[in-house]
Amino acid sequence: LMTLGGLALGVGMMVDSSIVVLENIFRRKQEERENPALAAVNGAAEVGPAIVASTITTLVIFLPVLFIKGVSGVLFAELAYVIAFSLIAALVVSLSLVPMLASKILKPLDRPKHDSPTAIDKLRTMSDRGFEALEGAYRRVLGVVMRARIVTMIGATIVFAASVAMLPLLGREFMPPSDEGEVRIDGEMDVGTRLDIVDAQTKIMEAIVTDAVPEKIAWVTSVGASGWNPGDGSSGEIRLSLTPSAERDRSNTEVANDLRERLEGKIPGMTIRTRAPQGQFLLERILGGDQGLTIEVRGYDLETLALLTDRAMDAISRVEGVENVDSNSTDGAPQQRLRIDRAKAADLGVSVRDIAQAIETAIAGSQAGEYRPAGYSYRILVQLANAQRLDVNQVLDITVRSASGEAVALRNLVQAEPGRGPTVIERKDQQRLLEITADVVGRDLGAVAADVEVALDQIARPAGYDYVLAGNVEEQRESSQQLGIALVLALVLVYMVLASQYESLRDPLIVMLAVPLAVIGVIILLLATNTTLNVQSYIGCIMLGGIVVNNSILLVDQAGRLREHGMTTRDAAMEAGRRRLRPILMTSLTTILGLAPLALGIGEGADAQAPLARAVIGGLFSSMLTTLVVVPAAYTLLHSDKPQNPFSAEANS
């Protein structure tokens, strides 16, 4: 899924450098009146440094991604590799194959014209006229901007600040919800319930479920302990596989909600829970579960943990968006606790060790020696016949010898107390724990987790006991922190690359104005599409740090070249905008159109990749529109208005 997402993203990015080279060759052929071979050489050489710089800036943003730990690093390493190798191949092709093909395919300017224009000629004429009108409108807008440069920069700052102010409106979660085409129904009965009874009740549940879901294509029913936890022995589970989402009218969430209503109170003795997995299947393997919310109750005493678990379940069940609250706290398996009355044993002259050994021999068995025939050794174990089926009273009828040789029944020395014992004890960070799981429905995970933390903080608990949000919440917070650091490192690396390319500390700042301008589009589009901030959208923001500066690189590089040829700063900035208008529009639109199907969530599982595509599209679109006016204004403000080489020592002093 990640490599396919990288290919979908690379479809638009890989052709960008070729578009810039080919457009510059066309421009030199038309405006400079050069023959195709000379135009191909000069056109590629003119934009070569800018293309190399833009490709390197896009490549370096993936370096921090490769070093991210945890689930995020596992998910996006392949995407980084795919895009990196694609861009390297595209750079080589754009500077070698594209100019060669252009020199061979393009016709000289003095070629004979057709008596009557063809349909292609008419289409070309219409497109040229349309672009000339667009170019004229852009020049007029740029003229107004140059007369009000300070106002333009202030306006851009205000728009950026307003968009950042809307950031808290975005929800936060670990991974975007995705219809996996699966529904799970769990039925739990009291611990210790006979397996045949659990099986009978599960068959009733299976009959109701299969009749109510026409979208099913297969299902698996399991009864009893299907995993490592023996506490699952009194439960039944049904896993439904549904047809692809495009072939059904209901989502897996709607199917789960319908089954919840149908099964409520219909199966005596069984508690029913229905779930529609909304995360990636890979995450279930890495994190060990697919529940939206996991709370760990940590401490030592199991009874205290069970009490705190019940209080926490009651508190979080009242939080909006929390459903199917469950825990692994059970009453335990029925057992008999045998307590030796040491005072009576002492009065009757019976050793406590003899009592314990007699009970051990009766129930668990004790080693009485070894049988060694022909060099082999076999352990001799002494145990009562059918010890697992004996009643506790039968065990207490066993007698032991006192110091005086009298036979004393165990029931005179041992007290039997009925109770329940834990089937399994889980530990984490050297602490015992119980887990509470719940599904998140109708709200983003970050908002629900914040409300749950508030509810848990109001529960009094002894010293040494605590509530810890784990699972997806823990991964979300760790990933957000790591991806935030990766974003900062990516921007620093981009600045270092630009500074080394331009041999200037000032021009890279102008180029990187595109980054905050891209934030405007990211936030607006995510809000408009009701998309959360998650790992996918974070990766999209990191990628934007290297992609959106490409347009600024074209403008600044061209303006610097024009100033070298004697133009004033203002004229160079305006002419650079005119010359680079077409390639900026073409490269941005190719990437946007290439990501459009992914952003729309078309296809099975595509909605999991949609946040990345939406973040990139929003940032590219706003950066494309604002870079064309803000960067020229900033360029003229930071450079003196006279002809000068921006890469010379005098310019950078």
Side-chain angles (χ1 to χ4, degrees):
L1 188 62
M2 293 299 111
T3 54
L4 292 176
L7 290 175
L9 183 60
V11 166
M13 297 172 56
M14 286 187 292
V15 300
D16 288 353
S17 47
S18 297
I19 288 175
V20 174
V21 172
L22 195 56
E23 192 279 335
N24 203 52
I25 293 173
F26 272 112
R27 186 189 63 80
R28 295 192 68 91
K29 177 175 173 290
Q30 297 294 333
E31 297 181 4
E32 308 294 337
R33 312 299 293 179
E34 295 177 348
N35 63 63
L38 185 60
V41 174
N42 293 336
E46 183 178 359
V47 297
I51 291 177
V52 172
S54 62
T55 302
I56 294 177
T57 56
T58 308
L59 290 176
V60 296
I61 63 174
F62 291 106
L63 286 179
V65 176
L66 295 177
F67 293 99
I68 294 177
K69 298 180 180 179
V71 179
S72 302
V74 174
L75 290 177
F76 294 103
E78 288 80 4
L79 181 142
Y81 289 134
V82 169
I83 295 181
F85 284 109
S86 300
L87 290 178
I88 293 173
L91 175 64
V92 174
V93 170
S94 64
L95 295 180
S96 58
L97 184 61
V98 170
M100 184 273 293
L101 292 177
S103 66
K104 300 297 183 182
I105 296 176
L106 295 182
K107 297 181 180 180
L109 292 173
D110 57 352
R111 68 184 187 277
K113 296 183 179 180
H114 298 286
D115 294 336
S116 58
T118 63
I120 296 179
D121 293 333
K122 293 179 180 180
L123 183 61
R124 184 184 299 113
T125 302
M126 292 177 59
S127 63
D128 289 341
R129 290 176 180 174
F131 188 79
E132 287 175 2
L134 178 62
E135 188 178 276
Y138 171 65
R139 288 182 64 87
R140 290 190 294 271
V141 171
L142 199 55
V144 174
V145 169
M146 289 301 175
R147 292 191 294 271
R149 296 173 296 177
I150 302 296
V151 175
T152 300
M153 300 304 298
I154 294 176
T157 304
I158 293 175
V159 174
F160 170 71
S163 63
V164 172
M166 294 187 294
L167 189 60
L169 300 178
L170 290 174
R172 287 170 171 81
E173 58 189 354
F174 180 50
M175 290 294 292
S178 175
D179 188 344
E180 294 185 341
E182 183 178 344
V183 175
R184 300 181 185 180
I185 305 96
D186 298 314
E188 297 182 2
M189 303 188 72
D190 292 337
V191 176
T193 305
R194 285 171 25 203
L195 190 61
D196 57 341
I197 297 177
V198 178
D199 183 44
Q201 300 302 91
T202 304
K203 288 181 179 178
I204 298 175
M205 178 175 67
E206 183 180 16
I208 297 175
V209 168
T210 53
D211 291 339
V213 185
E215 299 94 339
K216 65 183 181 301
I217 55 177
W219 71 91
V220 175
T221 304
S222 59
V223 179
S226 57
W228 61 271
N229 189 348
D232 295 337
S234 301
S235 63
E237 181 187 46
I238 302 175
R239 292 195 178 194
L240 289 172
S241 296
L242 308 179
T243 56
S245 56
E247 301 177 8
R248 47 186 160 91
D249 298 329
R250 299 189 297 175
S251 66
N252 63 340
T253 303
E254 293 172 337
V255 173
N257 293 337
D258 177 65
L259 289 176
R260 186 179 300 114
E261 295 178 358
R262 292 174 179 268
L263 293 171
E264 186 69 27
K266 296 296 179 63
I267 306 176
M270 181 173 278
T271 303
I272 306 296
R273 293 180 176 87
T274 62
R275 295 184 290 121
Q278 294 292 297
Q280 301 288 343
F281 179 77
L282 176 61
L283 295 183
E284 184 178 352
R285 292 292 178 258
I286 297 177
L287 299 180
D290 62 350
Q291 286 82 3
L293 189 66
T294 302
I295 302 170
E296 295 178 351
V297 188
R298 299 186 183 182
Y300 176 75
D301 183 67
L302 293 177
E303 294 182 358
T304 305
L305 288 176
L307 178 62
L308 292 175
T309 298
D310 293 338
R311 293 179 179 177
M313 292 177 64
D314 180 65
I316 68 174
S317 61
R318 295 192 292 267
V319 175
E320 181 184 358
V322 174
E323 292 186 1
N324 294 332
V325 181
D326 191 16
S327 75
N328 62 352
S329 173
T330 61
D331 294 334
Q335 66 179 16
Q336 292 285 341
R337 297 177 181 176
L338 303 180
R339 299 184 182 276
I340 300 175
D341 191 333
R342 295 177 177 269
K344 285 187 178 181
D347 291 341
L348 296 176
V350 181
S351 169
V352 174
R353 178 182 178 184
D354 292 341
I355 299 173
Q357 188 173 7
I359 296 174
E360 178 187 8
T361 302
I363 299 175
S366 60
Q367 187 172 349
E370 292 184 349
Y371 173 59
R372 299 180 179 178
Y376 294 95
S377 177
Y378 300 95
R379 186 179 63 167
I380 301 175
L381 185 69
V382 178
Q383 183 183 24
L384 292 181
N386 299 324
Q388 301 298 328
R389 298 184 180 181
L390 290 178
D391 184 80
V392 66
N393 291 319
Q394 294 176 288
V395 176
L396 296 180
D397 287 337
I398 299 175
T399 60
V400 292
R401 294 288 180 181
S402 66
S404 60
E406 297 180 358
V408 180
L410 288 179
R411 65 175 62 258
N412 297 323
L413 305 171
V414 177
Q415 296 177 352
E417 300 176 358
R420 290 181 177 271
T423 55
V424 62
I425 299 177
E426 296 185 39
R427 289 181 175 84
K428 187 175 182 180
D429 296 336
Q430 299 182 353
Q431 285 184 305
R432 293 179 176 180
L433 65 87
L434 294 177
E435 282 190 351
I436 303 172
T437 57
D439 293 333
V440 177
V441 179
R443 298 180 65 194
D444 61 276
L445 180 62
V448 172
D451 292 345
V452 166
E453 284 184 323
V454 172
L456 294 177
D457 288 340
Q458 298 176 357
I459 301 176
R461 46 189 180 271
Y465 293 82
D466 199 7
Y467 296 109
V468 179
L469 268 66
N472 287 348
V473 177
E474 184 180 15
E475 286 294 334
Q476 173 209 344
R477 293 175 177 176
E478 291 182 0
S479 299
S480 298
Q481 181 180 6
Q482 292 182 4
L483 292 174
I485 296 174
L487 176 59
V488 174
L489 291 178
L491 295 178
V492 171
L493 290 174
V494 169
Y495 181 83
M496 293 171 61
V497 170
L498 294 174
S500 63
Q501 178 73 16
Y502 288 143
E503 299 180 358
S504 168
L505 300 178
R506 176 174 49 188
D507 286 341
L509 292 177
I510 302 174
V511 171
M512 295 192 68
L513 280 176
V515 176
L517 297 177
V519 173
I520 301 171
V522 171
I523 296 177
I524 292 176
L525 188 58
L526 292 183
L527 282 174
T529 57
N530 195 26
T531 305
T532 61
L533 277 177
N534 49 62
V535 173
Q536 293 278 2
S537 50
Y538 272 121
I539 291 293
C541 293
I542 294 175
M543 295 176 61
L544 278 174
I547 297 174
V548 297
V549 298
N550 295 344
N551 295 337
S552 300
I553 290 174
L554 293 176
L555 283 172
V556 173
D557 181 79
Q558 184 64 44
R561 290 178 179 274
L562 293 175
R563 292 183 70 211
E564 289 179 357
H565 289 81
M567 279 192 179
T568 63
T569 301
R570 182 181 184 278
D571 293 339
M574 294 190 65
E575 180 62 16
R578 184 194 70 82
R579 291 189 179 186
R580 294 297 175 243
L581 176 62
R582 188 191 296 263
I584 286 176
L585 292 178
M586 292 177 65
T587 54
S588 298
L589 291 176
T590 52
T591 305
I592 289 173
L593 294 176
L595 288 175
L598 202 60
L600 295 174
I602 299 175
E604 193 77 11
D607 48 356
Q609 293 276 4
L612 184 150
R614 291 168 186 166
V616 174
I617 288 177
L620 268 179
F621 190 77
S622 66
S623 177
M624 175 185 67
L625 297 179
T626 53
T627 298
L628 289 169
V629 294
V630 175
V631 169
Y635 188 86
T636 56
L637 287 173
L638 295 180
H639 288 85
S640 58
D641 195 11
K642 61 181 181 179
Q644 184 176 311
N645 181 2
F647 308 119
S648 65
E650 180 183 356
N652 298 323
S653 62

